[in-house]
Structures are given as C-alpha cells and as structure tokens.
Amino acid sequence: MVLQKIAGYLLWGVLFVVAGCASRRQTTEIPAPGDPTTLLTAARRADPGYIHYLEKQSLLGASYEAARIVSGSGLAWQRPASPPSPEGVLHEADSWLYVHPLSLVTTRDLPVFGQLGSPDLGRLLERSALKGLYIAPTSGSGRLWAYDRNAGPEGEDSVQFGFSEAVGGEKEYNRLLQASLDAHRLLGMDILPAATGQGPDFFLAARNVRSYPGLYCMVEVPQAAWRLLPDVPNQWSGAALEQDRVLELAELGLLPPAMASDSPAFLLHGEKAGGWAATGAIIGIDGLPRRWAYRFHGDPTRPVLHWEDPSQAARQVLSAGIIHNVGLRGSALAGIRLEGLYGLEAAAPTRVGAQGAPGIEAAVSLGREIRRYGGWSWLRDPLPLSVLEPLLREGPDFLTDSITSPAAEHALLTGDTALLRFMMDAALSRGVDSRRLAHAMPAYDGIPYHLPFLADLATRASTPEMARQAAALREKTLRELREILEASCRVGPKGVDPLPLSGGTLYTTSAGLAALALGAGNAEAVTREMLPMIRRGHLLLAFFKAMQPGLFLVSGQDLVGTLPLSWWDMADSSRDWDVSLACRGAYSLVKSGAALPATARGIPRAKTVYPAPDAQMQDRDSFLVSLSRMLALRSRLAVARGALYGRFSVSHGGSLAFAVLLPPGKTAVAARQGSLAGAVSLPGQGGAFFARREQEGKRSVTADTGVDSALVVVCNFSRRRVNESIDLAATPLLAQILEKGDMTAFSCEGTTAVVAGRRILKLTLDPWQAIGVVIGREGGTR
C-alpha cells in the first residue's frame, strides 16, 4: 500500500513537470476574436481542481444521484402517469396565493420560507380562503455566477436544484411544509426552466467536459470561422449574433439558416424572444481554446437546454428537478417553463416548422413524470389554442389561461369586451375543458400581449373572412393598447417615463392596470380620488377569473395593491431602465417587514393602494375582505370543478355574460366539456353562443348530464352604468335547471345583489361591476 502511494506521488510529479514544460514550449497568445491569421494550439489546460468543483455544483452531476433514488425501485410505478387528472387539486386547493420570493420584504434573520411559514401568515391565508401557496422561483440564480450582475431579472435564470439564499434552506422549507400540512394547505414550486442561467453546467459545457455540451443547444465554431463571431468583453460574456452572421455560419454547415421560432410567422411570441449568441475563446479540459455558438432565450445569459440531444442530458436534468421538488420535497403543484423549446427546430426561412416542437413533447413527458410521483403539473407558458389542444389531451394537468388573458385585462383597460368575447367563443367552439386552465392575476411576469391565437388565425384560418377578422382584431387591440399607453405617458419627477411595453409584454400589476385605465401612467400620478375605482376594477378582474372553472391564482402583490415601480426608483436615467422590473416592487405581508424600505436584494418597496393585510381584515369593505368572500363562495359552489357552458348575448360592448355548470355534489366531478360542446357562431353574427346538447324524446337533459345548478356571471367592464337583460332559459338545459330552485345573486364585492325577473334576468350594473346569479339547486353542502 505504501509503495502504491509513493508510485502515485511520483506519477503526479512527472505529469506536473511535463505539463509545465509543455506550457512553456507551446505558450500561445489567444488572439482577439476576428483574427483569422493565428492558429491556436494547446496553451494551458483548465484547472482540474476547479473542474472538479464545478462538477460537484452542477445540475447534471446532481441528476445522477437523483436518478439513483428512483432507478431500480417501485417509486415510478405507484401512480398512473396518464391521463391528466386535475380533480384532486381542484377539490383540495382551488385558489392559490402566488409569491415571488425576491419581491417579499423580510427581516435579515427570517428568510422567505420562514415568513411564509409563520403563524401570522397562516392565519391570513386561512381567513382569505386561499388553500394553496405557490412560491417561485426558489432555485439558485445564475446571477451569482455571472460577470454582469445586471444582465437580467434575477431568479428566472436557475442553475441549481438547491434553494437560493433569499428563500432559505431545507430546514426552513421543511418547517413551512409541516405548517402547510397542519393547515391542510398545498405547496407549489417551479422545476428548473428550459432556459437556465450561466452556471457550473454551462462553464463545463464550454470547456468541453464529457457530455456537458449536449446539455445545451451549442455548436463549436472552428477557429477559421471565428472572424464571423462578434467581439465579447470577456470569454464568458455571450454576444448575440446578427442574422447575416447566422446565415454565413449556416453556409459553412455549422448553424441552421433559420429556426422555426426565428421566422416572422412564428406565432408563439409577438416579437423575437431569442436567438444565437457566441462565447469568447475558452480553454477546454484538453487545453484547446474553443468558441461556441449557443441558443438563448430572452438574453444571452439564459442558454437553452437541448431536449432532443442524443446524450439525453437535458431530460436527465429536468427529470431530476421533478424528483427533488415533487418526490423529495412534497411539492403538490409543479410549474413547468419551457420557453425556448417551442419552435426549436431547423426550418427554411420561408417556411414555419412545427409550432410547438419540441416543447409539446417535453411538456407531455414532464407532466407524466410529475403525476408518477404524486404531484400535479402546471405548464406556465402562454400558448395559442392550436398548441393547447394537443396538450389538453395528454399534457400537463393545468395550462396557463391564454384564452381570456390578456383579453380580460384589455377589456378592463379599454372598456370593450370584443376581444374577450371572441376568445371565449373560440374556446367554446373547440370544446376546451375549462377545468384544466389556471387563471392567474397579472403578476411579476407582466401581461403578455402577443395575441398568438389571433396571429395564428390570421395566417392559418380555414376561410379568408376569418383570417381577415382575426388580423383586424389583433391590429385593433394592439393599436388601442399603444394609444392608451402614449396618452398616459407623463413627465415624472425626473423626466419622461418610458412606455411599460417591451417585447410584446405590458409590465404592470393588477392595481397598476386599473390605474392605467384611469389615466395614471405611474404611481406618482395616482390620486386619492382614484383609489375607490382602482379597488373596484381590481375586484372585477379577480371576480371574472375566479368565477371560471380551473385553478385561480392571486399574487402577493394583489393583496396589498402594489403599483409598478418607476424608473427613478432603480436607475439613474430612463435609458438604463429595464421595464421588466416595473412590476416586481417589494412589499410585505406581515407586520415584521412593514418598516423596511427594500428587500435584502435591494429591490425598493412599491407604492400600494391598500393598507397592510392585517389592517384590511378589520375593514369589511376592504379589497382583501371582499376577495375572501368571493373565494369562499367559489369554494362552496365548487366553481373550480364546473364546466364553462356558454356565453349569452349582451346589449353593450363593455358587457360580458356567461354560464358555468356546477357539479351536483361535494365529491362529484362535472361532465367534461367535450360532452357538451358543439358548433358556435363567430362574434358579430348575432345570437347567444352556447355549447348545446339537444333533448332526445322525453329524456331529461339535466338527468343525462347530472347537473342541477348553474352560475351565471354578468360583467360590466365599461366605466358607465349599463342595463342588461339575460335569457336564463336560453337552452333546454338551462330552462330545466331554472325550474329546480330559486335564484341567489351576489356582486363582485361578495355582497348580496338585487336582481329583477326570473326567466329574463334584468340587471343594472355600475361601472366596473360584476354580478353572479346561481340558478337551480344551489346546494349549501357542496
């Protein structure tokens, strides 16, 4: 044994001397990028000790250990992986509080997990009728490894399975989990996104270590082609490639001339959201310098995983994220973010590839795996109906509602429901199972105004008339948005405010959206006289989303009514301002953080419309108390497990009315939408737009469907009083339900509403008001 150790030391010594001599003989300066005259040879090897350190920190390295927990065991076979099954979570937790931890003000000795698990917040959630707590992002950020700490919003660029310092450690999380279990509350978190950050795995891939290059969509560029790559400040700072450079690299067979997502006709995003970037010259594990071209999403600090690489490295990493969050940490709801994978397919510049490939395949696979470990999955990417439809059959349990969003937000902003009516009719005509949708209030990611479904119809509609109608509606919507933003753009205390619109996304909060509709372009422009109307508009939007089947998510910023940050809060000039930070202002949910001006990461506190949550609970007319009554009613009626049935005709352009079939009992599951759906007309052709199921002989329609009650929701998104007449017996099914019991009416404030009529419901709605009417056997036992 001693001889073996001595021999080992001698071998390391010889290698050290040889390596030193080699480095002295072959020392070569790395030329500036773009210098084609110098041929590079082995200069020096990457430090083996640092490589070993990176591997211990890497996602791919940790994924092997996670796989060993499941491989060879029966853990993957204890629960079915398909079909999607939303019923359980809708029964246990139909309404959720969504918290972005980096915007939550906490004391230094109490991380985010500690505050969210505190008894004070537990009592607040219980009184608010919120039964789930969703926290994202929670993983370590690539910002900690980056050269440029201001490259982009922190948090979305996850690079590790472990929790970030901002949220806390495993002990704090376990205490939060136990407190949630004791309160019968579910927890949810995101798994690793498909567009990560630049962390240990990327550094190893760029050094050409084993299978790490297969983890990302990256291509080694030969030295002879370095002249085509852009200059970079340092070897790790990625620089985006211009399209002409991409075409030149494509002629060399290195890159495809175009990706499906790069095409102007690509319909998942209103503007190009990614591209190719290049690194500097990086010394690899073998001592050779390399430059890489890699695919990114958003900005070059977020490289995209390669789902279809033969090494299967990306699949291993995402699978390991599921094992960690769902299998080991007991997260009930797992969020999936696959931005960057949609349209990640080579395509000719004049042709569009498959819209969702390989993102759809990844979503289906990850959704199945999450169900195997006992969790529910939520695909958080906003997608058009053409992509949602295959996912509704076999994909994740819940999909982000891109049908009524941003249509509902635009209705609040403009007082016109044309877009909202069009989108709701489109969903009804396709038989969308509304229980599978997650209706979230505007939060930290802003409001996506890409309108992909309208863009889809404008190029792929079955008739020229439908294509023209979709194109005209999309153009009208975007024009109205820009006109409102430009009209509200005011000169602030330090200069003219930039528009809160970037990359097809409107960056504002729910309260900020209502303020914007009233002409207040920034928090300083909000007057005391506006506050009651902001609260009313905020409640209307929440009511519309909460009174639909599926999940409902309200953000922590909604509870206090945060307004968007202004550029002078975080930048020296408007030119340096990243508008995506506007809706990430800091706030506190408990008394302990009330006096702190910013978060531990330096995010300043946002101005708020409402007082602290505990103070609101003492005011029966406050936003939070009204929201609590609304959510309690939603749970009692089991709206989440119902089925969107149809839309009524309305008299005013700012009105909207629809019906939801309620499940017959506490444990019953509503009929799938497909059993009720039929053809509907396009907006503008008159009539009520209802999914229909006709009577056959004397057989009872309500007996066939098992439905004996329905919820009728009537909303006034305009800022003037309107009168509406709704035919509650518009179909045989509704007529029979109407005969089974009395009507119960309530307003969006959660209070009892006064209605007139029985078969013909006559309503007077104030500006930004909504009224719900339960017909049939309302059933207090539900």
Side-chain angles (χ1 to χ4, degrees):
M1 191 71 179
V2 174
L3 292 176
Q4 290 178 345
K5 289 186 177 180
I6 294 174
Y9 293 144
L10 290 174
L11 178 60
W12 275 108
V14 171
L15 292 175
F16 180 81
V17 172
V18 172
C21 295
S23 64
R24 285 192 295 272
R25 276 197 313 272
Q26 301 177 358
T27 298
T28 305
E29 291 295 326
I30 296 178
D35 182 357
T37 61
T38 304
L39 178 66
L40 295 183
T41 58
R44 58 184 176 83
R45 297 180 185 275
D47 181 7
Y50 187 57
I51 295 296
H52 179 67
Y53 166 75
L54 289 176
E55 289 197 83
K56 289 180 68 67
Q57 305 295 319
S58 71
L59 293 164
L60 188 56
S63 68
Y64 300 128
E65 296 300 318
R68 291 177 60 186
I69 299 173
V70 176
S71 299
S73 75
L75 293 175
W77 308 103
Q78 295 180 1
R79 297 173 182 85
S82 60
S85 179
E87 290 85 359
V89 72
L90 291 178
H91 182 76
E92 296 295 331
D94 58 343
S95 300
W96 290 65
L97 174 65
Y98 170 33
V99 174
H100 192 300
L102 299 182
S103 293
L104 193 64
V105 176
T106 62
T107 58
R108 292 186 178 276
D109 58 344
L110 189 67
V112 169
F113 285 155
Q115 184 180 107
L116 295 178
S118 66
D120 289 344
L121 191 67
R123 286 189 291 269
L124 174 66
L125 292 175
E126 183 176 2
R127 295 181 64 185
S128 303
L130 291 162
K131 301 177 182 178
L133 179 59
Y134 197 91
I135 313 164
T138 58
S139 301
S141 171
R143 182 78 66 87
L144 300 177
W145 296 80
Y147 284 90
D148 182 5
R149 296 299 174 88
N150 298 315
E154 184 177 358
E156 282 68 24
D157 55 341
S158 301
V159 295
Q160 67 184 54
F161 296 129
F163 295 127
S164 67
E165 293 182 0
V167 300
E170 295 289 344
K171 290 184 179 180
E172 290 85 0
Y173 174 79
N174 289 333
R175 283 195 287 267
L176 170 61
L177 178 62
Q178 188 59 53
S180 299
L181 291 174
D182 293 342
H184 304 286
R185 188 178 305 115
L186 299 185
L187 290 183
M189 296 183 292
D190 284 354
I191 65 169
L192 190 79
T196 69
Q198 288 187 341
D201 294 84
F202 187 79
F203 300 153
L204 290 166
R207 289 184 171 95
N208 202 35
V209 177
R210 291 193 297 281
S211 58
Y212 283 89
L215 182 59
Y216 297 98
C217 300
M218 59 194 311
V219 177
E220 181 182 348
V221 179
Q223 294 177 27
W226 284 12
R227 58 184 177 80
L228 302 176
L229 302 182
D231 295 338
V232 294
N234 59 66
Q235 59 184 348
W236 296 108
S237 295
L241 294 174
E242 298 293 337
Q243 182 59 27
D244 57 345
R245 295 301 186 189
V246 172
L247 293 176
E248 291 184 74
L249 291 170
E251 291 177 358
L252 299 176
L254 297 174
L255 298 180
M259 304 292 280
S261 57
D262 291 334
S263 169
F266 186 66
L267 306 174
L268 298 186
H269 300 281
E271 298 182 16
K272 185 176 177 180
W276 292 96
T279 68
I282 299 168
I283 300 298
I285 189 67
D286 54 3
L288 296 176
R290 290 178 176 82
R291 295 196 70 184
W292 302 84
Y294 64 94
R295 191 73 184 174
F296 69 88
H297 176 78
D299 65 71
T301 65
R302 297 188 63 197
V304 176
L305 298 179
H306 192 354
W307 176 260
E308 296 180 310
D309 188 80
S311 71
Q312 303 288 293
R315 295 175 186 246
Q316 292 179 45
V317 165
L318 293 175
S319 177
I322 294 171
I323 294 172
H324 275 277
N325 281 9
V326 179
L328 299 179
R329 292 169 177 158
S331 175
L333 185 62
I336 304 171
R337 304 193 72 157
L338 300 177
E339 293 172 331
L341 289 189
Y342 305 108
L344 194 64
E345 181 172 83
T350 58
R351 180 176 59 85
V352 181
Q355 266 194 294
I360 289 180
E361 176 194 342
V364 170
S365 177
L366 297 174
R368 285 176 55 83
E369 188 164 2
I370 290 169
R371 286 190 288 273
R372 283 191 187 279
Y373 302 137
W376 290 275
S377 53
W378 170 26
L379 183 62
R380 297 189 56 193
D381 306 325
L383 301 172
L385 265 174
S386 57
V387 178
L388 287 182
E389 287 181 282
L391 290 174
L392 285 168
R393 291 192 293 270
E394 56 181 351
D397 300 291
F398 298 98
L399 308 172
T400 293
D401 176 17
S402 57
I403 298 169
T404 65
S405 182
E409 287 82 356
H410 191 72
L412 185 71
L413 194 60
T414 63
D416 184 4
T417 61
L419 175 62
L420 186 53
R421 284 180 273 127
F422 185 97
M423 295 303 299
M424 186 168 283
D425 293 342
L428 286 167
S429 67
R430 286 164 170 77
V432 171
D433 185 352
S434 46
R435 296 174 304 126
R436 299 277 305 285
L437 300 179
H439 312 281
M441 295 289 286
Y444 313 93
D445 296 326
I447 304 169
Y449 257 90
H450 307 117
L451 305 177
F453 179 66
L454 293 181
D456 193 353
L457 279 183
T459 57
R460 302 167 186 260
S462 56
T463 65
E465 176 60 30
M466 185 181 296
R468 285 193 295 270
Q469 186 179 11
L473 183 57
R474 188 173 192 269
E475 181 183 353
K476 172 178 176 289
T477 300
L478 296 177
R479 183 180 66 252
E480 289 173 341
L481 171 64
R482 185 162 288 277
E483 288 174 353
I484 290 174
L485 295 180
E486 290 175 351
S488 62
C489 188
R490 309 275 178 86
V491 177
K494 296 187 178 181
V496 179
D497 293 333
L499 296 182
L501 184 67
S502 176
T505 300
L506 174 62
Y507 289 102
T508 189
T509 61
S510 300
L513 182 73
L516 191 60
L518 298 174
N522 58 45
E524 301 295 332
V526 174
T527 64
R528 183 178 296 274
E529 291 73 24
M530 292 181 182
L531 299 183
M533 278 301 290
I534 291 176
R535 172 184 168 276
R536 180 181 283 268
H538 197 173
L539 282 173
L540 169 62
L541 188 61
F543 187 86
F544 170 78
K545 291 176 179 285
M547 294 302 145
Q548 295 183 67
L551 288 183
F552 173 67
L553 297 99
V554 61
S555 75
Q557 290 180 321
D558 282 305
L559 301 190
V560 294
T562 62
L563 296 170
L565 291 174
S566 299
W567 64 264
W568 56 81
D569 292 322
M570 298 184 67
D572 294 330
S573 70
S574 59
R575 293 187 300 274
D576 302 327
W577 172 234
D578 180 359
V579 297
S580 67
L581 301 177
C583 47
R584 301 196 178 188
Y587 65 97
S588 177
L589 293 174
V590 295
K591 293 179 180 178
S592 59
L596 299 177
T599 68
R601 290 291 196 274
I603 298 177
R605 184 183 289 272
K607 291 182 170 61
T608 62
V609 177
Y610 317 126
D614 57 334
Q616 289 189 62
M617 280 301 180
Q618 309 306 316
D619 179 4
R620 63 184 305 273
D621 295 324
S622 68
F623 172 83
L624 188 51
V625 170
S626 298
L627 178 68
S628 303
R629 289 196 292 256
M630 183 193 308
L631 298 184
L633 183 68
R634 167 182 164 87
S635 295
R636 184 166 62 84
L637 296 177
V639 173
R641 294 183 287 118
L644 183 63
Y645 179 58
R647 183 180 70 79
F648 295 92
S649 293
V650 291
S651 303
H652 299 274
S655 301
L656 181 83
F658 61 92
V660 174
L661 303 182
L662 301 175
K666 187 173 183 181
T667 59
V669 176
R672 286 188 177 272
Q673 183 69 25
S675 66
L676 298 171
V680 298
S681 303
L682 287 174
Q685 296 181 353
F689 304 96
F690 272 103
R692 299 180 184 275
R693 180 174 178 175
E694 300 297 337
Q695 279 184 285
E696 297 180 10
K698 296 182 179 180
R699 192 168 55 187
S700 170
V701 177
T702 55
D704 286 352
T705 60
V707 176
D708 57 6
S709 59
L711 170 66
V712 175
V713 178
V714 187
C715 302
N716 176 22
F717 283 93
S718 72
R719 291 189 292 280
R720 61 190 181 94
R721 179 174 291 187
V722 299
N723 296 313
E724 289 291 351
S725 297
I726 307 298
D727 184 2
L728 295 181
T731 66
L733 175 58
L734 289 180
Q736 291 195 26
I737 291 175
L738 189 62
E739 295 174 358
K740 290 180 176 293
D742 296 329
M743 295 187 298
T744 304
F746 49 88
S747 70
C748 58
E749 289 84 2
T751 56
T752 303
V754 177
V755 300
R758 180 166 178 81
R759 186 184 188 282
I760 303 298
L761 182 65
K762 297 184 181 297
L763 295 173
T764 298
L765 294 100
D766 290 329
W768 280 356
Q769 186 184 22
I771 292 177
V773 181
V774 180
I775 61 174
R777 293 175 182 166
E778 189 264 324
T781 61
R782 188 176 272 107

